[in-house]
Amino acid sequence: MKRTATTLLRPVLAALLLSVAPAAAIAAEPAQPAAVAPKVYPNFTVKVVGKGRPVLLIPGLTCPGAVWDETVARYQKQYQCHVVSLAGFGGAAAPASTQQLLLNVRDQLLSYIKDQKLQRPAIIGHSLGGFMGLWLSTTQPEAVGPLVIVDSLPFLAAVQNPNLTAEAAKPMAEGMRQQVSRGGMTVQQQRQMSAGMMRDTARITQATRWGLQSDPATVAQAMYDLYTTDLRAELGRIQQPALVLGAWAAYKPYGSTKESTRAIFAQQYARLPQHRIEMSEAGKHFLMWDDTQWFFDQTDAFLQQNLLAKK
């Protein structure tokens, strides 16, 4: 089991290094442009597309909101999609400060939900976005609706050692922050990393571009925050149902199996009251790209049951 957990860490870390697309890339015109407040949020922008019950879509590390283009195209006639693009990722301007980066993102997203008067929006979050969905829910359980968590964990650093604490993870996280903040990754290195997280050649090219366009200092701080924030003990505060979609196929060459990877997810989510874990058979980290129909089948049914049915 130790070997399996250790080998899982490397691809998951790589996965966190590339996961979102600029919201501006979404071609559809907002059905309700007035829904976007004039207020400026320093750590992200939001594009609103469609109408219906609200859904907040949060991307992962280095990617902007366009990573959700196909998801938005599917759901915009049924839901009002609020597509988030984080500052410093995928070509977006870097934030003025990276201090307490993800904490600021969390608090500003909660302010956005309140300012927009969104009634318990569903959250669909990939990687870092999935972690952020959990954090929003543990902080203000009454503010957020059902959660779709796409290949993410409440404490990434503990994938090797379930007994690891956030404090004990700091030296490792600091070393990672120093290394990533220096930047300098080549196109070939970035592409190799992307290829470990998705299958389609065109997708690999796009994710590589986003990674190279991301601000190294912002990426480094986001990684540090992820590795030193442990939400496991707080999961019991979450009141809404959650669908956790996991990937394992990328780790098969390292000896992982679907069962061993699922066990890691089950252990990390043990304190989450209402959750269901489903594992993709073939998808790598970007499940909405690699196993699209399965992703939609799972998400369609979950939102139908837990968002549309509970107005």
Side-chain angles (χ1 to χ4, degrees), residues 124-145:
I124 302 177
H126 175 237
S127 198
L128 180 153
F131 173 88
M132 187 57 63
L134 292 170
W135 208 4
L136 295 173
S137 303
T138 58
T139 304
Q140 290 187 18
E142 71 287 351
V144 180

Side-chain angles (χ1 to χ4, degrees), residues 173-295:
E174 179 58 35
M176 204 182 319
R177 176 165 61 178
Q178 294 296 329
Q179 182 178 3
V180 174
S181 64
R182 290 193 289 268
M185 186 175 288
T186 67
V187 174
Q188 183 178 1
Q189 290 170 329
Q190 194 81 52
R191 187 174 183 86
Q192 184 178 6
M193 185 179 296
S194 299
M197 297 183 288
M198 63 206 73
R199 298 181 181 279
D200 182 75
T201 301
R203 303 284 199 187
I204 292 170
T205 298
Q206 179 63 80
T208 298
R209 185 179 303 118
W210 290 337
L212 293 170
Q213 291 173 341
S214 296
D215 174 58
T218 305
V219 175
Q221 185 61 47
M223 291 175 60
Y224 179 86
D225 292 348
L226 279 170
Y227 270 77
T228 57
T229 306
D230 184 358
L231 301 179
R232 291 175 298 178
E234 303 297 319
L235 294 181
R237 290 174 48 80
I238 297 179
Q239 301 172 358
Q240 59 271 47
L243 172 65
V244 179
L245 303 178
W248 73 276
Y251 322 132
K252 187 176 181 179
Y254 304 98
S256 297
T257 65
K258 183 169 75 170
E259 291 72 24
S260 65
T261 308
R262 182 189 179 92
I264 294 172
F265 276 81
Q267 185 178 59
Q268 288 236 349
Y269 283 100
R271 296 188 183 184
L272 184 58
Q274 303 178 65
H275 77 280
R276 188 174 86 248
I277 298 172
E278 299 290 346
M279 304 297 296
S280 169
E281 289 294 337
K284 293 187 178 182
H285 182 57
F286 282 66
L287 291 175
M288 61 283 204
W289 285 355
D290 271 6
D291 203 353
T292 305
Q293 190 57 54
W294 176 84
F295 167 77

